[in-house]
Structure formats: structure tokens, C-alpha cells
Amino acid sequence: MRKIGGKILFSATDLVNFLGCRHCSWLDLKDLEQPLEKAEDDAEAILLKEKGLEHERAYVERLREQGLAVAEIPQGLSIEERVRATEAEMAGGADVIYQAALLGEPWHGYADFLRRVPASSNLGPWSYEVVDAKLAHTPRPHHVMQLCVYSDLLARIQGREPHSMHLVLGDGREAAFRSSGFAHYCANARRRFERFVYGPPAESYPEPCRLCDTCRWRDRCGAQWETDDHLTLVANIQRSQIRKLNDAGIATVRALAQMPARSPVRKLAPETLARLRAQAGLQVQKRETGENVYELLGTQPGRGFQRLPRPDDGDLFFDIEGDPLYPDGLEYLFGFYYFEDGEPVFKPFWAHDHDAERTAFQGLMDFITRELERHPDAHIYHYNHYEATAIKRLASRYGTREAAVDDLLRRGKLVDLFKVVREAIRVSEPRYTLKNLETFYMKKREGEVKTAAESIVVYERWRQTRDPALLDEIRSYNEADCRSTRGLRDWLLTLRP
Ligand code: SF4
């Protein structure tokens, strides 16, 4: 959303944001009147932008290799100048126009590419279709919505609706969509958006949604939820549950914690309500006393603590670092922490391309097989499903060590401690990540890399610079995760009834 000469111009991103969160559009409007403070792009967002640009550049190269002339619209110009330059290239029949600027008030947009097709239009015996480059490997609804906005703007210029619109995905594949199949839905969405922005409500309140993590208003909304003690602060609560609690007059964490036991909430199952109330109670207790608290949950056969095998000297603690930005994804570090003759050992398997990934995967499966032969009662512990999913995927991708993976699964050798935690205990933390749980069993972590997202950023930096110190940082981070998994397992053993 931007204001030019007193007029407001909307973009495809504004529409996508509106469909995800009206409060976002409401704040965008306020920001036009009086600039508001925005969250800064973090290192991950900056990296994604760089990767997006690389992806576009690689596509330009591919087009040139096919013998197509690619006209690039310069970026440092005003929007009117860029629009004029784009329209001139369209009139001249350029094969491909890169960074095309499109305007049809009150909408505007910058399509990554316009590709010439042999369908006649106002321009002559040719017209254009929109091609957008996305890092994702599968098309998402908001990508299609963006394409629709650009295609509509394009139709106004060339006097005919483009037959198709296209995405170039992160793995280089192209996906095509028939414009007419989405035009009605998109026009409808635009009308709803315009109604909202031309007559916005006087007040608006942020409701957490999937856009929050990357939204430029996230700091502002987060601060408001803290101030208001909003129910979104309760661990593992869902939006629908918040709505039902709000309908029952419960709007804060404290109010939920203080609800009398057995008071009903419409359409919320009593056991769900009891869980949320108990969770809120623990969080309020920590807030007031500063102490970490936990509760043990009732046991059910085969669940919770019963998932914990008897500890063994040969137990392995396993964690993977993956890079989703590498073409087709790459698991670049597989770390194991274990004890050998009473001494702790950390064993990393590195892979910096797909050949090495295959070799590393074979190496680690052979390592696991050997260790389990030496210690038949040992298990491999990890936190959450990523590790188990990754080894199944790698066995099938490379068609190797499939029997060994099947054997691990069949014998129940992989132990997901997240399942144990979720079913066995309740803690006073607002989230149930490994890092949150560490407050119960280890000191605060040190080291440069502190989150999985940061490790991806550091790894991508290493790919550019080859500075070994960066790999050392990632190694330390992975080792800390493996040690923490062991710490968690040991803590859970002390709690087991
Ligand atoms: S942070 Fe979330 S709730 Fe706030 S404006 Fe952004 S998307 Fe909406």
C-alpha cells in the first residue's frame, strides 16, 4: 500500500495480507496517515530475499540460453517511468520482460516476468502472460492470488485476458494455471478488500494467524497481547478455542487460569477446557513467582512416560540440520551424541551436496546398525518428528538402507521425546520447544547460533564464504541440541512415576 500524489495504490501483497489478517490492512492504512514503527527484517528474511533474487537471475539465464531476448525494466525509476518502460517493451514485442511494472488504479504490481505468447491483442499478433518466480517447491494459494492481480492489470493494458499464468518454483519446475479459473474468486476478494480500505472500522484488534511470524507489525501486535494478557499466550491453544473462550467472556490468561473448575464453555470439550485452564494456571504461577513449574499427567497405556525405554549405555541422541533453501533441500549435518567408555562423544556426518548427502546417510545408517549390534537394548532419541521423517525420506530418495530404516521403525528404536513430553507433563512455558524445556534441566545456552532458522542463515553464509568458523558455529549448535536431547531424556526419567 502506498500513497502517490494523494492517491492510494494497492498491491497483490496488500490483498494477500488482507485475506490472512484484516488488522494488518488496518495498520497499513494507519501507517499511511502517520508512519508507525515496524519490525525490522531478520537475517532469515534478508536471506530469503537474496535467494529469491538469485532464483530470478537463474531463470533469466535459462531464458537467455533458450535464445530469448530478456528486456529488464530498471528499478531505480518512479513507478510511472517503470510502467511506461514496461508498456514500451510490450508494444515492441520483447520476448520476455523482467521486473515488469503494471498499473491500473488503484492497483499496481511488479511481476517478475511477462512472457510473450502468440495470441493476438491490442499490441499486435502477440500478447503476454505473467510468470512469477517463487522459492517454494509447491504452489500456494497466495502465489495464485498474486498472479491473478498481475494478470488482471496485464489484461487492462493488452486488451485481452491472458489465457494462463505461471510459477517457476524453487526446484526449477513450472506450474501453469488457467486465469479464467481464478478470476472470479480474485475479483471478489479485491472487492471485499476495497470495501474494507475505503471504509475501515474505527477500531481493530489483532488476532494471531499464520502470517504473524513474518509480518512487519509483529512486534506491535506481540506487545499488545502481552499488555492485554491475551489468550494467545497460552501454550498450544488454537484460534478456535480462543474464540469459544472469548464468547464465554474469558479474554485473558489470568481469567482462564482462575475459571472455576467444571464451569462449561460452549462447544469446548470439558477435557480440552481443563487442559487449557491448567496450562494457563502454570504460566500465571511462573509469572508471579518466577519459578519453573510442571505437573505430571495421568498415564495411558503405551503413551507418555510409557514411551520411554529403559536407559542403556549405548543410547544415541540425534539431531539433524537441514537447509530448505538448497535446491530440492539438503540435510547437511547429522549429529549424534553418545558415551564411549564413559566419555561423551559427538559424531557429526556432514553433507554439502546431494552426492555427499547420500554418502552421509549411508554412513550414519551403518553407524546406527553397528551401535545397535554392540548395544542391542539401546535406542535413538530425538525431539519431534523431523529426524524420523528425514531418514525415511532419504532412504526412499536414494533407494538405499531401506531395510535398515524399516528395521529401526519396526523395532521402535527411534524415540520421539516430544511425544513423551506432550503426553506426560505440563510445564509453565509458553511453548513446548526443546529450548523452552531446557530451563528445567540445563543452563542457558551460549554460542552464536541459537535457533534452527539462524543455523540455516549461517550455513548459507558458509556456502558463500567457505569460512570454516561458520561451520564450527553450526557444529556447536547441533552438538548443544544433541546434548540437550540427552538432558531432556534424563530429566524425564527423574519424573517418571
Ligand atoms: S502480527 Fe499477526 S495479527 Fe498482527 S497485523 Fe500482523 S498478521 Fe495481523
Side-chain angles (χ1 to χ4, degrees), residues 15-321:
L15 181 61
V16 167
N17 287 346
F18 170 76
L19 294 174
C21 173
R22 285 169 188 226
H23 188 67
C24 185
S25 307
W26 192 81
L27 288 174
D28 287 345
L29 285 168
K30 292 269 165 227
D31 185 52
L32 285 181
E33 287 165 22
Q34 171 87 47
L36 305 174
E37 201 171 322
K38 299 159 192 85
E40 285 186 6
D41 276 353
D42 56 20
E44 202 189 352
I46 293 167
L47 175 67
L48 279 174
K49 278 189 192 154
E50 286 170 12
K51 285 273 158 194
L53 217 55
E54 268 176 35
H55 180 42
E56 287 172 21
R57 289 276 168 204
Y59 184 61
V60 169
E61 282 315 306
R62 287 217 303 279
L63 293 170
R64 290 196 169 127
E65 280 163 19
Q66 291 165 21
L68 297 171
V70 180
E72 181 168 352
I73 306 301
Q75 294 198 41
L77 307 174
S78 71
I79 179 162
E80 290 86 354
E81 289 168 323
R82 290 176 71 181
V83 169
R84 275 199 295 277
T86 304
E87 291 183 1
E89 293 291 353
M90 288 173 71
D95 291 336
V96 178
I97 304 168
Y98 177 39
Q99 305 279 13
L102 304 166
L103 181 62
E105 288 179 16
W107 292 88
H108 78 300
Y110 298 100
D112 291 339
F113 301 93
L114 299 182
R115 194 162 57 191
R116 182 179 150 142
V117 290
S120 56
S121 69
N122 287 348
L123 305 166
W126 69 86
S127 57
Y128 286 88
E129 291 183 351
V130 176
V131 182
D132 235 23
K134 297 290 176 203
L135 285 174
H137 287 196
T138 46
R140 311 257 165 80
H142 63 273
H143 299 154
V144 179
M145 188 57 78
Q146 251 177 338
L147 289 174
C148 280
V149 172
Y150 300 152
S151 295
D152 186 63
L153 291 168
L154 183 58
R156 296 193 211 180
I157 300 167
Q158 63 187 20
R160 74 167 289 157
E161 190 186 343
H163 177 270
S164 301
M165 40 197 200
H166 312 259
L167 290 174
V168 183
L169 298 166
D171 54 9
R173 281 179 306 124
E174 275 203 34
F177 306 88
R178 274 185 75 139
S179 311
S180 56
F182 299 90
H184 178 70
Y185 176 72
C186 182
N188 204 357
R190 277 210 310 268
R191 270 196 299 277
R192 279 191 285 139
F193 171 78
E194 287 176 18
R195 261 202 306 276
F196 181 88
V197 288
Y198 290 135
E203 296 296 330
S204 171
Y205 194 85
E207 299 297 341
C209 68
R210 60 180 171 75
L211 298 182
C212 294
D213 285 348
T214 50
C215 176
R216 61 183 182 154
W217 306 121
R218 61 186 182 276
D219 291 351
R220 190 184 176 87
C221 294
Q224 182 152 13
W225 292 325
E226 287 286 341
T227 308
D228 298 346
D229 194 24
H230 192 274
L231 287 172
T232 193
L233 304 177
V234 176
N236 304 326
I237 196 166
Q238 295 168 6
R239 282 172 75 184
S240 61
Q241 293 165 343
I242 294 178
R243 265 198 301 274
K244 288 169 195 168
L245 286 163
N246 287 165
D247 290 347
I250 307 295
T252 64
V253 181
R254 182 175 295 277
L256 174 58
Q258 290 174 344
M259 265 184 93
R262 283 192 287 280
S263 17
V265 167
R266 220 171 138 255
K267 293 192 183 160
L268 201 54
E271 52 282 12
T272 307
L273 178 58
R275 172 176 67 77
L276 294 172
R277 197 169 60 87
Q279 179 63 44
L282 290 187
Q283 289 181 223
V284 168
Q285 194 178 338
K286 173 163 180 181
R287 202 191 293 168
E288 286 175 352
T289 64
E291 278 175 27
N292 297 312
V293 271
Y294 63 84
E295 286 172 359
L296 304 189
L297 306 178
T299 49
Q300 286 177 0
R303 293 166 67 84
F305 286 119
Q306 291 193 17
R307 291 185 190 272
L308 271 185
R310 188 186 295 274
D312 187 270
D313 286 347
D315 285 337
L316 304 172
F317 300 89
F318 180 33
D319 186 56
I320 297 180
E321 306 304 324

Side-chain angles (χ1 to χ4, degrees), residues 361-375:
F361 172 64
Q362 290 173 329
L364 75 94
M365 286 308 302
D366 294 348
F367 165 73
I368 290 175
T369 305
R370 270 196 315 276
E371 289 302 303
L372 292 182
E373 276 166 12
R374 289 173 61 210
H375 303 277

